[in-house]
Amino acid sequence: MATRSTRSTKPSRPAPRTSGGRETGGGRATGKIVAAANGHAGSAKPAPKFKHAETGTLEGVWDYAPAPETVKVKIDAQYGHYIDGRFRPASKGGTFVTINPATEQPLAKLALGTAEDVDAAVASAQRALPAWSALPASERGKLLFRIARRIQERARELAVLETIDGGKPIKESRDVDIPLAAQHFFYHAGWADKLQYVFPGRTPRPVGVCGQIIPWNFPLLMAAWKLAPALACGNTCVLKPAETTSLTALRLAEIFDECGLPPGVVNIVTGAGETGAAIVNHPGINKIAFTGSTEVGKKIAMAVAATDKKLTLELGGKSANIVFDDASIDQAVEGIIEGIYFNQGHVCCAGSRLFVQEGIAAEVTRKLKVRLASLRVGDPLDKNTDVGAINSREQLSKIEGYLRIGQSEGATLCQAGRSPLPKTGYYCQPCFFTGVQPSHTIAREEIFGPVLAVMTFRTPEEALLRANNSPYGLAAGVWTDKGSKILEMARKLEAGVVWLNTYNKFDAASPFGGFKESGFGREGGVAGLRSYVEL
Ligand code: NDP
């Protein structure tokens, strides 16, 4: 695992599977006529005009100018662990390389955390705990508030760094990840001195040292989800970011320094799965908070079972997005697109199983195809890119494996995109499958990519049965005009979050978490505070 980010110098992606005239990564519409057939703006040839088969609109006439992000972010050649308020190299000197998945170029060397490094981080968190937990709660709140403000002040830098390190479109880092990360610190700053009102009649006390292990899909946001409530409740932390996306967590450490967070209150150890396992197994840790795959979550649950550590697990999903025939179809299509192609589908609650009522299935898939064709896949740093790079070569191979399995099991693949994929970097054309049976692998397993399985149903009862027929239970979406149907479905769906006539909406005040193999415990809101206090 430690070498995952380093095996990356050769392009692994097969040749682009689609062809077309439009260049990827556009920007504002320029109004210039573009010769779509050869891709040269202002060509002497007349611009080809043709009617889109589905929409009847003129295609190939208008295109977008590139809109590259202009802010340059400084990235050091090498980063150490952040322990006891300062950066230090790995105890055994081990390093690994983090790369830009959009270009496959190395970005920086990071310290490879060993059991000794974890030991040092836990010792530092233990030392810091008495003073931090004894600090007047309003002072803790002030510090969290200051961190939130500093994240806002450095938002653009953080957004660019997140996109370079992880591959997500800059418009998502800029408009979703970073503002939400700041919001989590703001929200929890407010609770720090009001915990007695959250737990009336009780005396909330910190749990102690929290080991927090986060994934690569929302790196800074996941760090904020974990750290903000823990700190508000007076705990100290040892955080391990994912191997492929550690840079924004390390930048957050700089922000902690700037804001005057006492040394040792937050420690960040970079590394691989083994580093995470060392945190899980460390006897000095009082609580583990993990977000990641169900497979690793199960291992952690077993490791923690025989100890008195508290545990919360936010794991995988195969969430159902259900569209009834009385829904506003255009609105639902937007929700389907948002549900599965946001962040390249690297979203634990992605609406990856679409259930459409039979009578509107043909219309929905037709409209979906048209909308899919309009998504711009390419350079994540271009402000008009809708779908960026897949986070790693491993993840791309995994997704491509599922595309092959889906077809070999009899489903029909639709890749409507007409943007050619960039020649270097890890890219996947967003797509959906029709003709999917509930027993198909692509309908059961979490793909974690821009791949949607479309299925149909006839009655609300059948929709419920099919949606709940999954080992997962993280989220669901329901699209209907009828309020009573909405309430009935929300009550009966086995999912921690149910979005109604919308999808993928997040707020620090709203608890998030799963049922069944999607984990247990909640993050965000008042419910999220519970796992960071002893009562
Ligand atoms: P993992 O569950 O392996 O990784 C999540 C975090 O746990 C990372 O920081 C990882 O480190 C760490 N980790 C890995 N192994 C251990 C271990 N034994 N003990 C403690 N910590 C560990 O997810 P992957 O990154 O490998 O992704 C695999 C699949 O998981 C994806 O394809 C996707 O399906 C799913 N996934 C789901 C997520 C969700 O939010 N539900 C998030 C991420 C992935 P490192 O990164 O260094 O390996």
Side-chain angles (χ1 to χ4, degrees):
M1 290 294 281
T3 53
R4 179 198 297 172
S5 326
T6 64
R7 312 175 216 127
S8 54
T9 41
K10 273 197 300 179
S12 66
R13 192 179 41 71
R17 281 161 293 198
T18 57
S19 60
R22 297 198 315 179
E23 295 290 324
T24 55
R28 297 171 301 280
T30 58
K32 274 190 290 194
I33 287 181
V34 174
N38 58 19
H40 296 305
S43 159
K45 287 184 193 169
K49 294 180 184 172
F50 56 90
K51 275 200 173 166
H52 190 282
E54 304 287 347
T55 59
T57 54
L58 285 176
E59 293 287 321
V61 178
W62 299 91
D63 210 334
Y64 289 79
E69 170 60 52
T70 49
V71 165
K72 300 276 178 271
V73 172
K74 184 174 167 294
I75 301 175
D76 292 346
Q78 189 155 346
Y79 289 89
H81 305 303
Y82 179 72
I83 297 175
D84 221 3
R86 64 186 179 87
F87 286 94
R88 57 159 86 168
S91 62
K92 294 204 170 127
T95 60
F96 63 100
V97 177
T98 186
I99 65 152
N100 178 342
T103 61
E104 306 178 42
Q105 292 302 308
L107 294 170
K109 272 190 192 169
L110 304 179
L112 181 60
T114 59
E116 287 78 9
D117 296 318
V118 169
D119 216 26
V122 174
S124 159
Q126 284 175 326
R127 278 193 303 276
L129 184 64
W132 177 248
S133 54
L135 198 69
S138 59
E139 293 302 312
R140 284 204 303 272
K142 270 190 217 166
L143 272 164
L144 292 183
F145 191 79
R146 212 178 285 162
I147 292 165
R149 289 299 307 270
R150 197 66 189 125
I151 290 174
Q152 285 186 324
E153 284 161 8
R154 295 180 66 171
R156 187 133 180 214
E157 169 199 357
L158 290 166
V160 173
L161 190 60
E162 197 75 300
T163 284
I164 291 176
D165 200 22
K168 63 174 66 199
I170 185 70
K171 69 177 180 186
E172 290 180 7
S173 322
R174 184 195 63 198
D175 298 347
V176 182
D177 291 62
I178 311 303
L180 271 178
Q183 195 202 37
H184 273 265
F185 280 101
F186 275 124
Y187 176 81
H188 288 96
W191 278 128
D193 61 353
K194 300 173 195 71
L195 292 176
Q196 69 272 30
Y197 302 107
V198 181
F199 308 104
R202 314 291 288 273
T203 310
R205 298 177 314 280
V207 171
V209 176
C210 302
Q212 305 180 314
I213 301 164
I214 55 173
W216 42 261
N217 50 347
F218 294 94
L220 187 74
L221 180 56
M222 286 300 111
W225 273 35
K226 298 273 183 279
L227 293 172
L231 299 181
C233 295
N235 302 283
T236 55
C237 303
V238 176
L239 177 87
K240 192 198 93 65
E243 191 183 339
T244 54
T245 55
S246 301
L247 292 182
T248 46
L250 296 170
R251 204 58 61 115
L252 188 60
E254 287 178 23
I255 290 178
F256 292 153
D257 270 353
E258 287 175 344
C259 295
L261 194 72
V265 170
V266 174
N267 304 273
I268 300 175
V269 183
T270 51
E274 294 76 20
T275 317
I279 293 176
V280 169
N281 294 320
H282 198 290
I285 296 270
N286 305 104
K287 179 206 156 49
I288 294 290
F290 172 79
T291 298
S293 61
T294 295
E295 186 192 347
V296 173
K298 284 180 182 175
K299 282 188 202 161
I300 292 177
M302 281 192 273
V304 166
T307 73
D308 62 355
K309 288 174 190 156
K310 283 167 95 84
L311 176 65
T312 44
L313 296 174
E314 200 266 273
L315 308 177
K318 192 75 186 172
S319 299
N321 209 355
I322 303 167
V323 184
F324 285 98
D325 58 10
D326 54 22
S328 157
I329 292 184
D330 290 341
Q331 195 189 339
V333 167
E334 285 310 305
I336 296 163
I337 294 279
E338 170 73 13
I340 184 63
Y341 304 123
F342 172 59
N343 198 26
Q344 295 73 245
H346 303 328
V347 185
C348 49
C349 53
S352 52
R353 288 184 301 150
L354 175 65
F355 294 99
V356 189
Q357 201 153 13
E358 214 168 71
I360 55 163
E363 184 182 358
V364 169
T365 43
R366 182 172 55 75
K367 290 190 165 177
L368 198 54
K369 201 169 166 184
V370 172
R371 186 65 178 85
L372 194 60
S374 75
L375 292 180
R376 305 180 70 82
V377 187
D379 179 5
L381 280 173
D382 191 297
K383 291 171 198 162
N384 250 36
T385 290
D386 297 307
V387 179
I390 299 300
N391 181 261
S392 65
R393 176 185 293 187
E394 281 74 10
Q395 191 60 26
L396 179 60
S397 309
K398 184 179 163 191
I399 296 166
E400 289 175 338
Y402 277 111
L403 296 184
R404 285 191 292 275
I405 292 171
Q407 291 172 93
S408 70
E409 289 183 348
T412 306
L413 177 65
C414 172
Q415 283 175 319
R418 281 165 295 131
S419 302
L421 297 178
K423 291 203 165 41
T424 45
Y426 312 132
Y427 290 92
C428 177
Q429 203 61 260
C431 60
F432 64 84
F433 277 100
T434 52
V436 179
Q437 298 301 319
S439 58
H440 283 169
T441 309
I442 53 165
R444 289 185 289 110
E445 295 184 9
E446 183 179 43
I447 299 175
F448 227 59
V451 184
L452 175 68
V454 183
M455 292 166 274
T456 58
F457 66 92
R458 289 182 181 166
T459 62
E461 292 71 29
E462 191 187 355
L464 267 172
L465 272 174
R466 293 191 137 203
N468 288 340
N469 180 17
S470 167
Y472 296 111
L474 196 50
V478 180
W479 300 83
T480 171
D481 206 22
K482 301 283 179 293
S484 56
K485 208 187 282 176
I486 283 178
L487 296 174
E488 183 74 356
M489 293 295 289
R491 200 166 58 81
K492 293 183 175 167
L493 279 164
E494 292 166 1
V497 177
V498 183
W499 285 293
L500 305 165
N501 291 326
T502 187
Y503 208 92
N504 270 346
K505 292 286 176 287
F506 303 97
D507 192 282
S510 175
F512 185 90
F515 281 68
K516 302 193 278 189
E517 291 197 13
S518 292
F520 50 80
R522 295 291 176 264
E523 292 190 300
V526 169
L529 294 167
R530 178 62 189 91
S531 51
Y532 286 102
V533 291
E534 298 284 3
L535 295 177

